[in-house]
Amino acid sequence: MEKESMERERMEKEGMEIEKMEKLEREKIILTGDRPTGRLHVGHYAGSLRQRVALQDSGEYQKIFIMIADAQALTDNIENPEKVRQNIIEVALDYISCGLDPEKSTLLIQSQISELCELTFYYMDLVTVARLQRNPTVKSEIQMRNFEASIPVGFFTYPISQAADITAFKATTVPVGDDQLPMIEQTREIVHKFNTVYEPVLVEPEALLSGNEASKRLPGIDGKAKMSKSLGNCIYLADTADEVRAKIMSMYTDPLHLQVSDPGHLEGNTVFTYLDAFCRQEHFGRYLPDYADLDELKAHYQRGGLGDVKVKKFLINIMQEILEPIRNRRKEWEKDIPAIYEILRKGSDEARRMAAGTLAEVKSAMRINYFEDTDLIRTQSKKYEV
Ligand code: TRP
């Protein structure tokens, strides 16, 4: 009798396993995120936000998790907790204003998912110090921040915590900039190691890169390689129309293009880089009907006879068209900040349930699920039966 019920239990379990595997095969899950260290700017929009919205609206993904990575932000902002705290709402407002829809995408705050710490702790056993030291992203960030020997352990190991972020949600797809590719590679290694050493419960994620070169590496308005708050060269999604206009009018172009009749250069010309990232065919019809397309505009600029101001005005029109609806949505949501926190709370709750499920599987695979395993007590008792 008992044997029969045990057999039934075993078969039920097997059935559940198959069901679970089928589900994994079916489901495409996205996880990605940002460190909340400032408002988001048009570089974020070109490089990731607009792609996320398109992925969300494509209907191809069963689940989409967008993480505000506050715990990761703290790894190099230890003395700046208030900055991280203040920017949670800014990033969330920017997300929603860009079209991330809390009904379709789960917005969550990393630190509220304590399961991620547990996963990180166990994954640490699967990674060597040498491997972390070889991670190119970590390497260059250590240089950038002058960390050298004084690097906090939490910062040094953040690739492991990022692997926890990704695997906790069984993400198949991680849309990121190419600076993050080493993180995905490290995650895949951890997954592979875990699945071989223990049981195949984790999913190997794929990185998803976005857009053309210009979108991936949008320079600041001063032409410097990167937009950064400290350089004061960003166009923020929350900037007013006047701010956007003034910033574009002051944009770095071609220092050799002194007179309209001079031939102009495109390389390193910020205005044209922005056009590469944002200009679409229909913009010509609306704002610059004298030209058929961007190639024609570029050719005229290179030939000489096309002034910077005309090109800048064209870019202003395009950017306002893109930014105005974002700005308007932001204004609306700014009137209901409690609703944003509620969205984040709900999203974090849902994320936590998902992460808890993965953690339970991980612990079972690692043989540390003592109280869930009824067989354990039975077999241990048998050992001492006379
Ligand atoms: N490291 C990412 C960045 O700096 C942010 C991040 C944290 C992330 N966890 C993630 C990105 C998981 C993708 C997946 O932009």
Side-chain angles (χ1 to χ4, degrees):
M1 187 62 198
E2 190 183 345
K3 212 171 142 198
E4 225 169 69
S5 79
M6 269 170 67
E7 178 67 6
R8 202 172 43 235
E9 206 179 288
R10 194 186 63 77
M11 279 174 53
E12 258 169 32
K13 237 167 120 184
E14 220 165 55
M16 269 160 59
E17 289 298 316
I18 291 168
E19 211 173 278
K20 224 173 1 193
M21 275 161 62
E22 279 172 351
K23 193 168 151 212
L24 285 180
E25 255 170 2
R26 257 200 328 266
E27 290 207 315
K28 282 171 80 184
I29 300 177
I30 285 181
L31 176 118
T32 189
D34 303 277
R35 299 179 186 193
T37 53
R39 287 182 167 186
L40 302 181
H41 49 60
V42 293
H44 293 112
Y45 181 77
S48 61
L49 293 173
R50 65 178 167 187
Q51 183 201 30
R52 289 181 199 172
V53 174
L55 291 169
Q56 166 192 276
D57 296 339
S58 75
E60 270 188 50
Y61 295 86
Q62 279 69 44
K63 292 202 190 80
I64 301 178
F65 295 94
I66 310 287
M67 166 184 286
I68 302 182
D70 61 336
Q72 189 179 102
L74 286 170
T75 63
D76 66 328
N77 281 286
I78 316 114
E79 68 300 337
N80 249 332
E82 201 51 38
K83 173 168 111 183
V84 174
R85 183 182 177 85
Q86 296 300 326
N87 277 307
I88 301 253
I89 193 75
E90 299 299 335
V91 171
L93 276 166
D94 287 331
Y95 281 167
I96 294 176
S97 315
C98 280
L100 286 175
D101 175 354
E103 299 284 316
K104 299 181 190 159
S105 299
T106 306
L107 309 183
L108 63 126
I109 305 180
Q110 185 187 28
S111 63
Q112 304 309 295
I113 324 296
S114 52
E115 285 78 3
L116 298 175
C117 299
E118 277 190 72
L119 288 173
T120 304
F121 185 73
Y122 297 125
Y123 295 170
M124 282 185 173
D125 300 335
L126 307 173
V127 182
T128 64
V129 171
R131 176 63 183 87
L132 281 175
Q133 279 167 335
R134 267 189 285 116
N135 185 310
T137 309
V138 175
K139 242 181 171 167
S140 74
E141 286 181 326
I142 289 173
Q143 267 174 4
M144 242 165 58
R145 290 170 177 72
N146 287 321
F147 268 151
E148 311 299 332
S150 61
I151 179 169
V153 173
F155 182 85
F156 181 58
T157 55
Y158 95 75
I160 305 178
S161 127
Q162 193 156 329
D165 298 343
I166 295 167
T167 54
F169 303 101
K170 304 242 163 114
T172 53
T173 312
V174 188
V176 280
D178 39 16
D179 63 312
Q180 294 291 306
L181 287 179
M183 298 295 157
I184 314 298
E185 198 44 47
Q186 183 122 42
T187 301
R188 292 169 62 89
E189 282 174 38
I190 290 172
V191 168
H192 183 74
K193 183 105 193 219
F194 186 97
N195 286 350
T196 359
V197 173
Y198 303 114
E199 282 169 32
V201 298
L202 301 179
V203 176
E204 268 188 44
E206 310 263 1
L208 186 67
L209 295 172
S210 78
N212 58 17
E213 279 311 303
S215 305
K216 279 193 251 176
R217 251 178 292 278
L218 204 68
I221 55 170
D222 55 358
K224 296 259 164 55
K226 231 183 141 139
M227 256 184 260
S228 106
K229 198 164 142 188
S230 51
L231 292 173
N233 62 358
C234 308
I235 299 177
Y236 293 102
L237 296 173
D239 279 350
T240 63
D242 284 344
E243 284 168 325
V244 171
R245 187 176 307 114
K247 284 179 181 180
I248 292 176
M249 285 312 286
S250 77
M251 246 184 200
Y252 179 86
T253 55
D254 170 14
L256 301 173
H257 189 234
L258 296 172
Q259 296 182 4
V260 172
S261 56
D262 289 338
H265 298 85
L266 302 174
E267 316 79 60
N269 189 320
T270 318
V271 177
F272 279 96
T273 310
Y274 274 57
L275 286 176
D276 280 334
F278 294 109
C279 177
R280 291 193 311 271
Q281 191 60 41
E282 69 256 32
H283 291 139
F284 282 93
R286 277 207 281 283
Y287 307 119
L288 204 58
D290 294 350
Y291 299 85
D293 54 26
L294 194 50
D295 288 336
E296 216 177 283
L297 187 73
K298 284 178 175 173
H300 192 189
Y301 191 78
Q302 286 176 301
R303 244 187 352 259
L306 175 56
D308 280 344
V309 171
K310 190 162 177 182
V311 190
K312 282 180 172 175
K313 284 193 169 152
F314 181 45
L315 178 61
I316 289 171
N317 279 322
I318 295 172
M319 294 312 290
Q320 303 291 25
E321 181 184 311
I322 295 170
L323 293 175
E324 195 184 61
I326 297 175
R327 204 151 44 213
N328 291 343
R329 267 197 298 270
R330 202 179 206 279
K331 280 270 154 301
E332 280 309 303
W333 281 98
E334 282 170 358
K335 292 182 198 149
D336 198 359
I337 295 299
I340 304 273
Y341 279 109
E342 186 54 23
I343 286 166
L344 293 173
R345 197 182 59 76
K346 277 210 188 111
S348 299
D349 282 349
E350 192 193 328
R352 194 153 185 203
R353 281 193 292 278
M354 175 95 188
T358 305
L359 179 64
E361 289 176 68
V362 160
K363 289 174 88 168
S364 154
M366 291 180 73
R367 317 299 294 138
I368 52 176
N369 62 336
Y370 314 109
F371 307 127
E372 277 75 51
D373 181 0
T374 44
D375 276 354
L376 175 69
I377 301 169
R378 205 153 34 205
T379 50
Q380 292 301 321
S381 305
K382 274 233 168 64
K383 202 160 84 181
Y384 291 101
E385 258 169 29
V386 275

